[in-house]
């Protein structure tokens, strides 16, 4: 079937629950058809973890009821128009929820690479929960995109696809973030905790990109991460990332999603030094426990004086998500020689709001019992094993100076009570 022949009404039933491949693995041609035809089919709902394609613009709720584990990427605009339902869950739980039926999946809409000589397609740019959706769905509709790289890892037999739509369109790309002076300052403190042979879990964005730029003097770094961006390609080509010291998967970078540009996709094509894996491997506690020197880097909207982390909601605005933060925070804290880092600028809204706070304005994404290091442009606060009073003192030390006196008043209450 070609792009012009897509008639989802032949495959979808009213009331169907759809699971969509996420991030740069979004099947954009199928999404356009779904949004255009969804209202006519009727009563459709869909789940997607993140979206960068821009296809889910305000107004999409007229065609399809959309849900997600967060408001990451283009999904953020839908929270402002109240067209996105949030399902609180870790990304590592999405596949098990699909498998158990807790997250309904009647139809899987996915993007895959062209088939190899054995008739098998790769999942291309995203692994994570896609295999679980394919296994559970009544109908699998696949966008076979000639411009998607063939990545090594799990693959899909042509016989597992009920409807294949062949296209040749540039896959979704996410350009590297602009790096500012604050991002660079945060990154400099982070790199103090990344030594030779460290295994990195690192995402995308200004601070992760700034960190990557500062690691060119390291040796034999490894990668085991939920996602991988363009910056890590630079470190591979510079001989910094070799994965040589990993106890498992030596010589191979492990990831579940490629989020970047054509440069990353070309690098990934049939590259034996890169393997795409489902979340049952990238985020699994037993797998992560086999990694020494694991350094995990995650972001936050705010951190309170006891170390509680909010990465989801700021007041009435839902702008983040749980993602894989908790899985990797725990893993970094427990890894022999490893560290778990929560990184954030000290302020928001042009310096008018402190992100080190007396109390969170949103939910607790990561409990204080799990937090190891918090880093801002003013330094690193090592919290593991420290009392609540000592944590407060250390976190005030990395807050913006203009907010420290105000935070100190709360800290004195914590010190007086002991909690």
């Amino acid at each position: 079937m070609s792009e012009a022949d897509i008639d989802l009404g032949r495959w979808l039933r009213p009331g169907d629950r759809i699971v969509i491949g996420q991030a740069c693995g979004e099947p954009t041609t199928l999404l356009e058809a779904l949004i255009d035809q969804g209202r006519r089919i009727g009563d459709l709902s869909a789940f997607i973890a993140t979206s960068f394609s821009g296809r889910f613009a305000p107004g999409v709720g007229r065609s399809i009821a959309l849900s997600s584990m967060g408001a990451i990427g283009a999904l953020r605009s839908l929270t402002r128009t109240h067209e996105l339902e949030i399902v609180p869950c870790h990304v590592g739980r999405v596949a098990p929820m699909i498998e158990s039926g807790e997250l309904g999946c009647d139809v899987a809409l996915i993007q895959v690479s062209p088939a190899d000589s054995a008739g098998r397609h790769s999942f291309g740019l995203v692994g994570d929960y896609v295999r679980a959706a394919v296994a559970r769905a009544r109908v699998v509709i696949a966008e076979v995109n000639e411009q998607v790289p063939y990545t090594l890892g799990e693959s899909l037999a042509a016989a597992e696809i009920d409807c294949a739509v062949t296209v040749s369109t540039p896959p979704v790309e996410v350009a590297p973030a602009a790096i500012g002076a604050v991002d660079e300052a945060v990154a400099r403190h982070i790199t103090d905790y990344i030594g030779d042979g460290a295994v990195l879990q690192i995402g995308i964005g200004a601070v992760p990109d700034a960190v990557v730029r500062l690691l060119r003097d390291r040796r034999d770094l490894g990668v085991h991460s939920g996602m991988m961006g363009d910056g890590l390609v630079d470190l591979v080509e510079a001989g910094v990332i070799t994965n040589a010291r990993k106890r498992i998967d030596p010589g191979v970078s492990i990831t579940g999603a490629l989020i970047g540009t054509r440069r990353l996709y070309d690098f990934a094509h049939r590259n034996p030094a890169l393997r795409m894996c489902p979340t049952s491997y990238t985020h699994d506690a037993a797998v992560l426990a086999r990694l020494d020197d694991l350094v995990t880097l995650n972001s936050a909207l705010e951190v309170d004086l006891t170390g509680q982390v909010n990465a989801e909601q700021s007041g009435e605005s839902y702008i983040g998500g749980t993602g894989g933060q908790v899985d990797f925070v725990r893993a970094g804290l427990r890894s022999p020689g490893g560290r778990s880092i929560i990184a954030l600028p000290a302020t928001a809204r042009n310096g008018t709001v402190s992100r080190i706070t007396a109390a969170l304005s949103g939910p607790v994404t990561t409990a204080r019992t799990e937090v190891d290091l918090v880093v801002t442009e003013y330094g690193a606060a090592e919290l593991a094993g420290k009392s609540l009073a000592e944590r407060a003192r250390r976190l005030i030390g990395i807050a913006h100076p203009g907010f420290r006196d105000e935070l100190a008043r709360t800290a004195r209450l914590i010190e007086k009570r002991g909690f």
Side-chain angles (χ1 to χ4, degrees), residues 223-234:
V223 175
H224 186 110
S225 188
M227 65 183 72
M228 182 172 174
D230 282 27
L232 294 183
V233 178
D234 296 333

Side-chain angles (χ1 to χ4, degrees), residues 152-153 198-199 220-225 241-255 272-278 280-284 286-292 294:
L152 304 185
V199 179
D220 292 329
L221 297 183
V223 175
H224 186 110
S225 188
I241 290 177
T242 65
N243 294 287
R245 302 190 195 181
K246 287 165 67 177
R247 280 203 292 138
I248 59 173
D249 308 307
V252 180
S253 292
I254 299 297
T255 190
L274 174 70
R275 187 161 77 245
M276 301 292 292
C277 296
S280 59
Y281 194 81
T282 55
H283 292 68
D284 182 70
V287 174
L288 293 169
R290 298 169 64 193
L291 291 167
D292 297 336
L294 176 64

Side-chain angles (χ1 to χ4, degrees), residues 37-296:
Q37 302 172 29
R39 193 171 187 178
R40 173 169 55 82
I41 297 168
D43 195 27
L44 297 178
S45 61
F47 176 91
I48 184 170
T50 65
S51 175
F52 299 103
S53 69
R55 299 310 192 273
F56 293 114
V60 70
R62 292 190 291 269
S63 300
I64 182 172
L66 196 64
S67 63
S68 178
M69 64 174 189
I72 301 171
L75 297 179
R76 187 174 300 178
S77 65
L78 298 184
T79 65
R80 293 191 285 268
T81 56
H82 311 294
E83 294 178 70
L84 184 70
E85 293 285 337
I86 300 297
V87 179
C89 65
H90 305 300
V91 67
R93 282 285 302 149
V94 173
M97 289 168 64
I98 293 171
E99 291 163 355
S100 69
E102 294 171 290
L103 186 61
C105 180
D106 302 303
V107 179
L109 290 189
I110 63 173
Q111 176 183 254
V112 297
S113 75
D116 63 11
S117 59
R120 300 194 68 86
H121 303 266
S122 87
F123 287 113
L125 300 175
V126 62
D128 54 46
Y129 58 78
V130 179
R131 165 54 71 183
V134 167
R136 183 76 182 189
R138 182 191 77 247
V139 174
V140 176
I141 304 177
E143 181 175 299
V144 181
N145 192 340
E146 294 176 353
Q147 298 188 42
V148 165
Y150 194 104
T151 53
L152 304 185
E154 289 191 321
S155 59
L156 181 71
E160 297 179 84
I161 299 172
D162 297 293
C163 174
V165 179
T166 301
V167 303
S168 180
T169 185
V172 175
E173 296 187 33
V174 176
I179 298 173
V182 170
D183 306 312
E184 290 180 346
V186 175
R188 282 194 294 273
H189 294 299
I190 291 170
T191 55
D192 290 341
Y193 295 93
I194 302 174
D196 292 346
V199 179
L200 303 179
Q201 175 267 318
I202 191 166
I204 60 171
V207 170
D209 286 352
V211 169
V212 167
R213 290 186 183 184
L214 295 174
L215 294 177
R216 287 180 173 269
D217 61 343
R218 304 306 196 271
R219 296 291 179 268
D220 292 329
L221 297 183
V223 175
H224 186 110
S225 188
M227 65 183 72
M228 182 172 174
D230 282 27
L232 294 183
V233 178
D234 296 333
L235 294 186
V236 172
E237 293 180 345
V240 175
I241 290 177
T242 65
N243 294 287
R245 302 190 195 181
K246 287 165 67 177
R247 280 203 292 138
I248 59 173
D249 308 307
V252 180
S253 292
I254 299 297
T255 190
L258 300 175
I259 302 179
T261 68
R262 189 76 244 175
R263 180 166 182 260
L264 174 64
Y265 307 159
D266 291 342
F267 166 83
H269 183 61
R270 297 194 175 277
N271 187 342
L274 174 70
R275 187 161 77 245
M276 301 292 292
C277 296
T279 52
S280 59
Y281 194 81
T282 55
H283 292 68
D284 182 70
V287 174
L288 293 169
R290 298 169 64 193
L291 291 167
D292 297 336
D293 302 310
L294 176 64
V295 179
T296 67

Side-chain angles (χ1 to χ4, degrees), residues 263-347:
R263 180 166 182 260
L264 174 64
Y265 307 159
D266 291 342
F267 166 83
H269 183 61
R270 297 194 175 277
N271 187 342
L274 174 70
R275 187 161 77 245
M276 301 292 292
C277 296
T279 52
S280 59
Y281 194 81
T282 55
H283 292 68
D284 182 70
V287 174
L288 293 169
R290 298 169 64 193
L291 291 167
D292 297 336
D293 302 310
L294 176 64
V295 179
T296 67
L297 174 60
N298 290 275
S299 63
L301 297 175
E302 55 184 359
V303 177
D304 78 8
L305 287 179
T306 70
Q308 297 185 120
V309 177
N310 168 21
E312 301 171 63
Q313 183 175 340
S314 178
E316 296 184 357
S317 299
Y318 201 99
I319 56 178
T322 306
Q325 179 173 123
V326 175
D327 294 324
F328 284 115
V329 164
R330 288 174 175 168
L333 185 61
R334 289 159 175 73
S335 171
R339 300 308 296 254
S340 167
I341 300 169
I342 297 292
L344 70 167
T347 62

Side-chain angles (χ1 to χ4, degrees), residues 49 112 114 159 168 319 378 386 390 399 417:
V112 297
S168 180
I319 56 178
Y378 293 100
K386 302 300 183 290
E390 179 61 23
R417 294 192 307 251

